[in-house]
Amino acid sequence: MTIVRCAVYTRKSSEEGLEQAFNSLDAQREAGHDYIRSQKHQGWIAVNGQYDDGGYSGGSTERPGLQKLLEDIRARRVDVVLVYKVDRLSRSLADFARLMQIFDEHHVSFVSVTQQFNTTTSMGRLTLNMLLSFAQFEREVSGERIRDKIAATKKKGIWVCGQPPLGYRLPKKEEERRLWVVPSEATLVRTIYQQYIESGELVGIAERLNAKGHATRKWQSSKGRWHGGRSLTAKYIYRVLTNPVYLGKITHTRQGNTEVWDGLHEAIVDRRTWDAVQSKMEIANRDVRHRWTHTHLLKGLLRTHAGHAMSPTSVRRASKGMSKKENQTRLVRYYVSQQAIRQGYRSCPIGSLNAAHIDELVRAVVMNFIAEKHSANWSSLTPEKRDHFIREVIREVVVAPDHLEIQINERKSGTHAEEPSAILRKDMLLQQPRTLMPICPIKPEVNRREGVTILRLSVQIKKLDGRRMLLAPDGRELVVQADVAGQPLPREHLVRAIGQAFFWLREIIENGKSVRDIARGERLSASRVHNLLHLTRLGPAALKAILTGAVRQTLQLSEVSGIAQQLDWRRQAQMLESR
């Protein structure tokens, strides 16, 4: 006779009554073992382990007893699982289906002691699904009933959120059911509010209070576990400053809507102090909202001409000239078409674009347009504020194989607020020049359509130095970096490479170092050092053109190195102009 190993699983949602000598879990287990004994003639025997979950809801599978059972099932130590009722295993139809799939995969049978059905027939499966649907319905109705009860209690101003915040304690048995003030902690709360009004900083307050020995409240849970007693953080200070409980209020959030009710407890801060802190925090938050610090300027704004979004992404690639052992990498950002991702790069003519390039091109076109139309001086803004305002005025950017279209919102949609450009002018007048300005040497075609200004630029997509970029149809560059006076800037990496080459040449001449010595010291390959040393052969005219920015913006270091190998200085200048 074949031995059938049977495991009895038991569960109870609450911990009430579990301390009794014979509780609900024991009753469920005993019923399961009686059933196993009734099937002894078929070889059924109970396994030694117990699979009990006391105080765990059936709405989740994160239960230690159930996980232990599943572990034994996967280890092929169980043949049959018995429960008192189906809802003891799960009250979620989806979870139950997943558990049944695991049982089937490991050839484990399932038996409900008090609910007889055969899951090998369609009628049996229908019965099982109906039972589970009712179990899930019961759980959801119970949840709604509990949430209604909590909402009604909070509306009366009673605290029902567990451990109260700093400054308050729960009532004792003989006291009224409301929050009670802890005087020593209330003093600390008032100190936090007062210091924020004076300094307006979160980190500084936390540091000063920690230095004086203050910490979060330390308390012990009903299970004997200790919590709190940690150093104050800026996040903790922020929560104290924004908690309406300190104003004598009780809040309740349901389905995204927050309601505020008068609490029965005593307020720790007065209305004047509360308003002063909230006003100061609003100013600080407004300043943060007016900055764009994401690495991709056009995140969520860029689409292909076919209507597919272009998602921002990045990848780390090995730095040029570095040996594999050195493992130095650089971050390359780009936008990639969702059509290319889903259907393959051959299906999308746009594919991917270098993010640094197209971000700078859009900056240049938008900034030039607004500067010309509204006499705005962009150079007075920080890069973060500049990018924030650019995103404010851009509605969408569409890129096609032959053109780039930037849609500009003249007004913020849905409001009667003044034009963003007007806001820009006000902000700019208050500040000193801070940042450089990219320039697009080609003027875009301007059209208006349904209240939207459209800037259209003819382009071609070309791959340069491994980057897919947008160039003018005749091959000219579309972005030039300029200083606040509008003068083009030299390419930083070219200037740095030339300076490095002359420094190495001096080391060789004056200190007698070899190319191999320099390569070892700089952690570069010898061939890389050798190639860069060619830059010391550039003539005065070529050097002046590079160092003053009077060269093509897309001029690559490899091209300059190739020109430097031409020893005729006049010929070098001619080659540089022709590039």
Side-chain angles (χ1 to χ4, degrees):
M1 183 171 57
T2 305
I3 300 297
V4 180
R5 298 161 297 177
C6 305
V8 180
Y9 175 76
T10 64
R11 183 184 67 80
K12 187 175 187 297
S13 298
S14 66
E15 296 181 348
E16 184 179 358
L18 292 180
E19 72 283 359
Q20 297 175 3
F22 187 81
N23 55 40
S24 174
L25 298 183
D26 296 325
Q28 293 178 40
R29 193 183 314 107
E30 186 173 284
H33 285 173
D34 289 343
Y35 189 89
I36 293 172
R37 280 192 288 273
S38 69
Q39 303 297 319
K40 187 176 179 180
H41 61 282
Q42 295 186 12
W44 286 33
I45 61 170
V47 297
N48 291 328
Q50 290 190 3
Y51 308 95
D52 304 326
D53 281 322
Y56 286 89
S57 167
S60 167
T61 58
E62 294 301 319
R63 291 170 260 158
L66 179 61
Q67 295 301 321
K68 180 185 174 186
L69 174 63
L70 293 176
E71 184 180 334
D72 286 350
I73 288 174
R74 294 188 180 98
R76 309 285 183 184
R77 290 195 284 264
V78 174
D79 299 317
V80 176
V81 172
L82 294 96
V83 295
Y84 184 72
K85 282 187 177 181
V86 173
D87 60 4
R88 298 302 89 193
L89 187 63
S90 175
R91 283 186 179 271
S92 166
L93 196 58
D95 287 344
F96 192 87
R98 282 192 287 271
L99 290 172
M100 286 298 103
Q101 185 177 0
I102 295 174
F103 289 2
D104 290 342
E105 289 174 356
H106 296 84
H107 308 291
V108 172
S109 301
F110 173 69
V111 173
S112 175
V113 174
T114 59
Q115 296 162 315
Q116 296 297 320
F117 50 82
N118 185 357
T119 57
T120 60
T121 66
S122 57
M123 184 57 70
R125 288 192 293 273
L126 174 62
T127 305
L128 177 61
N129 287 338
M130 290 175 64
L131 288 171
L132 286 169
S133 296
F134 278 110
Q136 182 168 330
F137 173 74
E138 182 185 343
R139 179 172 63 88
E140 291 175 354
V141 169
S142 299
E144 289 177 1
R145 198 161 50 234
I146 292 170
R147 285 190 288 273
D148 289 342
K149 172 67 175 175
I150 292 175
T153 307
K154 285 190 172 182
K155 193 173 181 179
K156 292 182 178 180
I158 300 173
W159 175 265
V160 287
C161 301
Q163 190 65 20
L166 181 73
Y168 291 102
R169 63 170 175 81
L170 295 174
K172 298 175 182 176
K173 288 184 179 179
E174 66 279 7
E175 293 176 337
E176 183 185 356
R177 190 186 172 191
R178 62 180 175 85
L179 290 179
W180 291 79
V181 174
V182 180
S184 59
E185 294 183 358
T187 302
L188 177 58
V189 171
R190 293 191 189 97
T191 301
I192 292 173
Y193 273 75
Q194 191 58 39
Q195 289 197 7
Y196 186 79
I197 292 174
E198 295 170 358
S199 65
E201 54 182 8
L202 299 175
V203 177
I205 294 174
E207 290 176 347
R208 286 192 292 273
L209 294 177
N210 287 331
K212 292 182 179 178
H214 293 290
T216 62
R217 174 192 293 154
K218 191 173 183 179
W219 56 279
Q220 189 177 23
S221 68
S222 58
K223 295 183 179 180
R225 184 178 176 185
W226 284 97
H227 301 267
R230 299 178 179 177
S231 300
L232 301 175
T233 63
K235 185 177 180 181
Y236 187 87
I237 299 295
Y238 179 83
R239 287 205 300 267
V240 170
L241 293 171
T242 56
N243 194 342
V245 170
Y246 296 116
L247 193 60
K249 304 291 183 181
I250 293 289
T251 61
H252 179 61
T253 302
R254 191 170 184 177
Q255 296 179 343
N257 299 320
T258 300
E259 295 176 314
V260 182
W261 308 102
D262 289 333
L264 297 178
H265 61 281
E266 179 186 347
I268 291 181
V269 298
D270 55 43
R271 168 62 72 176
R272 186 176 178 182
T273 304
W274 171 267
D275 289 344
V277 167
Q278 303 312 311
S279 176
K280 200 155 192 170
M281 296 189 83
E282 173 62 24
I283 294 172
N285 292 335
R286 193 185 308 155
D287 185 60
V288 172
R289 287 199 299 270
H290 285 183
R291 290 184 293 156
W292 179 255
T293 56
H294 196 274
T295 54
H296 292 74
L297 173 69
L298 302 179
K299 178 187 177 186
L301 298 175
L302 185 62
R303 289 188 172 274
T304 68
H305 61 298
H308 296 280
M310 296 200 68
S311 304
T313 187
S314 59
V315 64
R316 286 205 167 271
R317 292 179 178 165
S319 298
K320 294 180 179 179
M322 296 296 171
S323 64
K324 292 182 180 178
K325 292 181 179 178
E326 289 159 357
N327 196 29
Q328 292 194 17
T329 60
R330 59 192 170 95
L331 186 67
V332 179
R333 298 183 294 109
Y334 57 94
Y335 296 97
V336 60
S337 163
Q338 283 296 317
Q339 183 184 11
I341 293 175
R342 294 169 184 167
Q343 304 172 18
Y345 277 77
R346 290 185 179 180
S347 66
C348 181
I350 308 301
S352 63
L353 290 172
N354 183 272
H357 169 73
I358 193 169
D359 283 353
E360 202 68 349
L361 174 58
V362 171
R363 279 191 194 101
V365 174
V366 173
M367 292 166 68
N368 295 351
F369 172 74
I370 293 180
E372 184 177 329
K373 186 176 180 182
H374 301 285
S375 303
N377 179 14
W378 288 90
S379 60
S380 61
L381 292 181
T382 62
E384 295 82 9
K385 279 197 170 185
R386 176 200 62 189
D387 286 354
H388 166 78
F389 286 121
I390 289 175
R391 286 182 58 85
E392 282 284 299
V393 299
I394 290 179
R395 180 181 180 184
E396 190 176 70
V397 178
V398 179
V399 60
D402 61 346
H403 70 269
L404 177 72
E405 193 176 275
I406 304 172
Q407 300 177 9
I408 301 291
N409 277 320
E410 290 292 340
R411 290 180 179 275
K412 292 181 180 179
S413 60
T415 72
H416 298 289
E418 55 188 331
E419 294 182 9
S421 51
I423 300 173
L424 278 177
R425 286 202 303 275
K426 290 179 182 176
D427 197 87
M428 291 168 178
L429 290 173
L430 301 175
Q431 302 181 48
Q432 297 299 317
R434 291 183 179 180
T435 187
L436 304 179
M437 182 172 177
I439 294 174
C440 179
I442 299 177
K443 203 168 183 179
E445 178 185 335
V446 181
N447 297 304
R448 289 184 64 82
R449 188 170 61 209
E450 299 176 354
V452 177
T453 300
I454 299 173
L455 309 179
R456 183 186 174 98
L457 207 60
S458 296
V459 302
Q460 62 167 318
I461 300 175
K462 192 172 182 181
K463 194 170 184 179
L464 286 176
D465 194 27
R467 301 181 299 168
R468 284 173 60 81
M469 303 168 62
L470 301 181
L471 300 178
D474 57 3
R476 282 186 294 164
E477 297 165 15
L478 292 174
V479 186
V480 176
Q481 291 293 341
D483 59 17
V484 293
Q487 296 299 316
L489 293 174
R491 303 296 305 280
E492 185 180 347
H493 73 289
L494 296 180
V495 175
R496 189 168 55 245
I498 291 172
Q500 186 74 73
F502 275 99
F503 174 76
W504 290 341
L505 181 63
R506 192 178 68 182
E507 289 288 293
I508 293 172
I509 295 173
E510 297 181 1
N511 299 326
K513 289 188 176 180
S514 66
V515 172
R516 192 177 297 278
D517 293 335
I518 293 173
R520 192 181 303 114
E522 298 287 341
R523 302 182 66 186
L524 296 172
S525 62
S527 61
R528 175 71 173 173
V529 174
H530 196 267
N531 285 335
L532 287 179
L533 282 171
H534 287 155
L535 299 178
T536 58
R537 300 175 181 175
L538 289 170
L543 281 175
K544 181 180 179 182
I546 294 172
L547 298 180
T548 58
V551 294
R552 176 169 52 85
Q553 288 291 305
T554 53
L555 184 67
Q556 301 300 310
L557 181 59
S558 58
E559 296 178 84
V560 179
S561 181
I563 292 172
Q565 295 184 40
Q566 171 60 251
L567 299 181
D568 185 343
W569 287 354
R570 184 181 301 176
R571 178 64 181 149
Q572 286 181 0
Q574 292 173 349
M575 293 173 68
L576 206 55
E577 291 178 359
S578 65
R579 302 262 173 162

